[in-house]
């Protein structure tokens, strides 16, 4: 006898509402269905009605967590359309805020993942350390979340020399705590028990289902847009692309944690090598007909933009494909054969840009009886 | 009655619902729960179910899909209840004000006790908003 377990769409623990329907047989998950669209606002259509400059602020609010990578990608696409190059110093500043964003996003992920496996102490610790990154972001851009630093033709705020020692001190503290978390993931029994051999995505499946970002790298697919298709000044910095072979939740966590260390190295190098010079150039925004494709590596994977101009100060079309969209296809493969208790952590292991699985109802498909479970009760679900 | 009022003031439980915002406000709300800001010292906790909650915290510009749900959640909450709108989105639509799929403002759909403006507001501002509502209880 199979049960249907719908998860969502209401009561997000954190972010956007989505809807998952799990079909379970006893404890085993036999099928899964996903429905999108609860947060559809009509952004791509609104982008066509505004001019290029205004679009930056709308683009920034596609996703609050990875707003810098969205604006960087958009600005690079428009710069490509207009055929201009931002000044060197602007590119360095972009990389600094991009990498700080990756650190904040991965720490946020770590905290919520710990919460999903019932390890609330780690949740609080990770978010405590995340505040250090937020401080650095506030120092550089003047705002904690939406930085509004990028603009077409460069950046709007400079990194001052007085700020550099503070940034380096912050990074040192972050490096210490990240190393501690890596140790924890290698040794803590609770984490190992909940994360190893759970939600496995094999290398073959990751390739076939076009997984991107840390999800693909945790399955052994060696891909990173920062290295394969360098933008800004990533080609002048040295960093490693982290991969693991296992493909389970543990591998996905370790990939993200080790990426934090790489990001710290990147920021250190960027701060040191930053040349003196202007931070933005003037761009004529009546862009003749042209089209551009731009890719960047967001914290969650490859972010893709397509832009088409038509001779006016408004774009004809801007299309955005976010990494979560690419990764959702892999969810099914990761769940099949798994158990109900794994649902929260496996959903979260792709670092989806939604977290609305607070409410679960189990429907007995024979009697039609429904009973509700909150995500909290689900977390406590034991065989 | 005095005792019940005291208890309500000392343990306001929150229910958070994102109606289609960019998640910027949501992470700031969660940040308010964590050690640096620590709203738990006021007895404030985030709950998963509307039936446990005293205060509904709404973020986002209310998409058409989310509208019915926000009304349903509000109706499921026990009295007395309050609604706080976090960020510019539920108040004025923020950057999405002219998108075709949003139906801001929030007070057209449910009564709102407090607005916390900002895009996103800092955790301090969110705490201030919650405390303002508590003063009214
Ligand atoms: S108010 Fe701003 S930060 Fe908050 S959800 Fe709306 S757009 Fe995002």
């Amino acid at each position: 006898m199979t049960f249907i377990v719908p998860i969502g769409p209401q009561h997000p623990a954190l972010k956007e509402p989505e809807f998952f329907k799990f079909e379970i047989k006893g404890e085993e998950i036999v099928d899964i269905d996903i429905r999108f669209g609860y947060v559809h606002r009509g952004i791509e259509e609104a982008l066509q009605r505004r001019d290029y400059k205004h679009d930056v602020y709308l683009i920034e609010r596609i996703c609050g967590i990875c707003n810098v990578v969205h604006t960087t990608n958009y600005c690079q696409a428009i710069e490509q359309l207009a055929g201009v190059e931002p000044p060197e110093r602007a590119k360095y500043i972009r990389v600094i805020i991009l990498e700080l964003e990756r650190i904040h996003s991965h720490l946020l992920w770590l905290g919520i993942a710990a919460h999903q496996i019932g390890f609330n102490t780690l949740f609080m610790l990770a978010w405590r350390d995340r505040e250090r990154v937020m401080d650095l972001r506030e120092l550089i851009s003047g705002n904690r979340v939406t930085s509004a630093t990028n603009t077409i033709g460069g950046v709007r705020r400079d990194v001052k020399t007085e700020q550099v020692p503070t940034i380096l001190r912050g990074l040192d503290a972050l490096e210490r705590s990240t190393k501690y978390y890596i140790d924890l993931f290698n040794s803590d029994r609770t984490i190992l028990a909940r994360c190893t051999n759970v939600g496995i995505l094999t290398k073959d499946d990751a390739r076939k289902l076009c997984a991107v970002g840390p999800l693909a790298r945790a399955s052994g697919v060696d891909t990173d847009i920062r290295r394969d298709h360098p933008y800004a000044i990533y080609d002048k910095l040295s960093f490693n692309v982290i991969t693991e072979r296992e493909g389970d939740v543990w591998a996905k966590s370790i990939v993200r944690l080790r990426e934090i260390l790489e990001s710290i190295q990147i920021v250190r190098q960027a701060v040191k090598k930053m040349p003196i010079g202007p931070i933005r150039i003037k761009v004529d925004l009546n862009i003749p007909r042209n089209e551009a494709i731009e890719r960047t590596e967001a914290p969650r994977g490859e972010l893709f933009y397509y832009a088409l101009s038509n001779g006016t100060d408004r774009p004809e079309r801007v299309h955005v494909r976010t990494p979560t969209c690419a990764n959702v296809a892999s969810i099914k493969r990761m769940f099949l054969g798994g158990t109900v208790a794994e649902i929260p952590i496996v959903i979260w292991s792709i670092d989806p840009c939604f977290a609305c699985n607070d409410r679960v109802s189990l429907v007995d498909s024979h009697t039609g009886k429904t009973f509700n479970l909150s995500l909290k009760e689900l977390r406590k679900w034991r065989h | 009655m005095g005792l019940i009022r005291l208890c309500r003031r000392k343990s306001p439980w929150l229910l958070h619902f994102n109606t289609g915002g960019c998640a910027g406000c949501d992470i700031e709300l969660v940040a308010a729960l964590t050690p640096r800001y620590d709203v738990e010292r006021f007895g404030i906790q985030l709950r998963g179910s509307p039936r446990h909650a005293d205060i509904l915290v709404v973020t986002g510009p209310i998409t058409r899909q989310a509208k019915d749900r926000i009304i349903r959640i509000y109706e499921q909450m026990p009295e007395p209840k309050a609604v706080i709108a976090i960020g510019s989105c539920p108040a004025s639509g923020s950057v999405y004000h002219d998108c075709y799929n949003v139906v801001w403002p929030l007070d057209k759909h449910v009564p709102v006790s407090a607005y916390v403006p900002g895009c996103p507001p800092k955790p301090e501002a969110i705490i201030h908003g919650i405390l303002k509502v508590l003063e009214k209880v």
Side-chain angles (χ1 to χ4, degrees):
Chain A
M1 185 168 70
T2 58
F3 285 102
I4 308 283
V5 186
I7 296 197
Q10 52 172 290
H11 306 322
L14 260 186
K15 291 166 240 122
E16 295 104 313
E18 301 304 326
F19 180 76
F20 293 90
K21 198 166 94 189
F22 289 94
E23 207 174 313
I24 56 167
K25 199 173 194 171
E27 268 292 324
E28 198 194 327
I29 299 165
V30 289
D31 201 8
I32 158 172
D33 197 10
I34 305 161
R35 178 194 184 294
F36 280 133
Y38 288 97
V39 279
H40 179 79
R41 293 152 290 198
I43 289 184
E44 286 188 9
E45 188 263 351
L47 286 171
Q48 297 164 9
R49 276 185 281 123
R50 297 164 196 214
D51 62 34
Y52 288 108
K53 275 264 157 68
H54 282 159
D55 278 349
V56 178
Y57 301 97
L58 185 52
I59 290 276
E60 188 158 48
R61 283 159 183 84
I62 287 179
C63 173
I65 300 175
C66 38
N67 60 74
V68 182
V69 78
H70 273 283
T71 50
T72 308
N73 202 333
Y74 171 78
C75 292
Q76 284 174 2
I78 304 302
E79 282 153 11
Q80 231 189 80
L81 281 182
V84 295
E85 236 342 75
E88 198 74 348
R89 189 174 173 88
K91 292 187 185 170
Y92 274 89
I93 296 174
R94 276 185 188 170
V95 165
I96 293 173
I97 50 171
L98 274 172
E99 291 307 317
L100 287 178
E101 178 175 81
R102 194 180 315 276
I103 300 172
H104 121 78
S105 175
H106 283 353
L107 280 175
L108 178 149
W109 177 88
L110 171 70
I112 307 292
H115 179 60
Q116 306 289 28
I117 57 172
F119 198 164
N120 266 341
T121 318
L122 184 55
F123 167 44
M124 292 293 173
L125 287 177
W127 279 66
R128 180 199 65 193
D129 291 325
R130 183 176 159 271
E131 285 299 322
R132 289 187 204 277
V133 201
M134 299 315 264
D135 286 347
L136 296 184
R137 283 169 50 123
E138 192 171 6
L139 181 79
I140 293 173
S141 69
N143 201 351
R144 282 165 54 90
V145 178
T146 41
S147 69
T149 306
N150 278 317
T151 187
I152 298 161
V155 292
R156 293 174 53 234
R157 281 174 77 123
D158 206 352
V159 176
K160 300 184 190 67
T161 3
E162 311 88 87
Q163 293 170 344
V164 172
T166 325
I167 296 175
L168 293 177
R169 261 203 313 277
L171 292 178
D172 288 343
L174 278 167
E175 189 170 26
R176 272 196 302 279
S177 35
T178 311
K179 284 194 174 139
Y180 169 70
Y181 297 140
I182 293 179
D183 272 354
L184 204 63
F185 265 80
N186 280 320
S187 59
D188 188 89
R189 276 183 32 218
T190 322
I191 294 177
L192 289 176
R194 289 299 306 268
C195 296
T196 42
N197 292 327
V198 167
I200 296 178
L201 184 71
T202 59
K203 187 172 180 177
D204 249 15
D205 285 342
R207 279 244 172 79
K208 268 188 228 144
L209 297 167
C210 305
V212 293
L215 181 68
R217 290 197 283 275
S219 300
V221 183
D222 190 9
T223 145
D224 191 324
I225 308 293
R226 289 177 291 171
R227 182 201 56 197
D228 305 338
H229 175 77
Y231 52 95
I233 38 104
Y234 280 113
D235 46 348
K236 296 194 191 126
L237 305 172
S238 72
F239 60 94
N240 299 322
V241 176
I242 310 289
T243 53
E244 290 284 339
R245 268 173 298 124
E246 289 84 350
D248 54 1
V249 174
W250 180 85
K252 286 164 204 149
S253 322
I254 285 292
V255 165
R256 290 199 176 93
L257 284 169
R258 287 175 53 203
E259 272 179 16
I260 298 180
L261 294 181
E262 293 300 323
S263 296
I264 292 173
Q265 293 303 346
I266 294 177
V267 180
R268 280 196 186 129
Q269 293 173 39
V271 169
K272 219 191 299 157
K273 286 190 183 165
M274 209 159 43
I276 315 271
I279 55 168
R280 66 193 283 196
I281 48 165
K282 219 168 153 14
V283 183
D284 177 16
L285 284 176
N286 282 318
I287 302 173
R289 194 169 180 88
N290 198 352
E291 58 183 347
I293 282 173
E294 186 61 44
R295 302 190 294 163
T296 48
E297 182 76 19
R300 287 161 184 76
E302 178 192 344
L303 180 65
F304 174 95
Y305 269 62
Y306 168 79
L308 180 67
S309 59
N310 58 3
T312 64
D313 62 347
R314 276 148 218 249
E316 175 85 26
R317 180 86 173 94
V318 178
H319 174 71
V320 183
R321 196 207 61 174
T322 58
T324 302
C325 185
N327 280 342
V328 151
S330 321
I331 287 190
K332 186 165 177 176
R333 208 47 69 87
M334 284 154 60
F335 271 115
L336 293 187
T339 64
V340 176
E342 290 166 8
I343 294 175
I345 182 67
V346 175
I347 291 184
W348 191 251
S349 76
I350 72 159
D351 197 357
C353 221
F354 48 70
C356 152
N357 21 18
D358 242 32
R359 196 182 143 108
V360 176
S361 49
L362 302 175
V363 182
D364 184 331
S365 51
H366 286 268
T367 59
K369 219 173 79 194
T370 313
F371 42 107
N372 288 327
L373 278 181
S374 72
L375 185 61
K376 197 155 164 249
E377 287 162 309
L378 187 68
R379 278 190 206 114
K380 290 196 193 129
W381 189 290
R382 296 279 180 275
H383 314 252
Chain B
M1 269 325 267
L3 184 63
I4 292 181
R5 251 192 77 198
L6 181 75
C7 297
R8 276 189 191 133
R9 293 245 316 247
K10 295 289 178 191
S11 64
W13 283 0
L14 309 182
L15 174 75
H16 166 221
F17 188 63
N18 178 339
T19 60
C22 76
C25 289
D26 312 68
I27 53 177
E28 290 298 69
L29 177 66
V30 178
L33 302 171
T34 52
R36 161 101 47 110
Y37 303 99
D38 194 18
V39 288
E40 236 175 289
R41 63 203 148 110
F42 304 112
I44 299 173
Q45 270 195 354
L46 207 59
R47 303 307 293 187
S49 158
R51 304 195 196 274
H52 296 165
D54 304 301
I55 299 178
L56 176 61
V57 183
V58 182
T59 59
I62 309 142
T63 59
R64 278 177 211 283
Q65 298 257 11
K67 191 188 91 195
D68 297 339
R69 288 167 213 284
I70 191 87
I71 296 172
R72 211 163 87 204
I73 293 171
Y74 181 75
E75 284 166 356
Q76 283 176 350
M77 282 168 60
E79 294 280 356
K81 51 192 167 189
V83 179
I84 304 182
I86 306 261
S88 312
C89 276
S92 66
S94 189
V95 281
Y96 316 116
H97 65 96
D98 58 350
C99 291
Y100 60 80
N101 211 28
V102 296
V103 285
W104 61 277
L106 180 62
D107 48 20
K108 255 195 341 211
H109 311 296
V110 293
V112 179
S113 316
Y115 286 100
V116 182
C119 188
K122 293 183 85 169
E124 291 96 327
I126 296 176
I127 298 172
H128 183 70
I130 299 173
L131 293 184
K132 273 269 150 53
V133 170
L134 287 185
E135 277 169 21
K136 278 205 221 156
V137 172

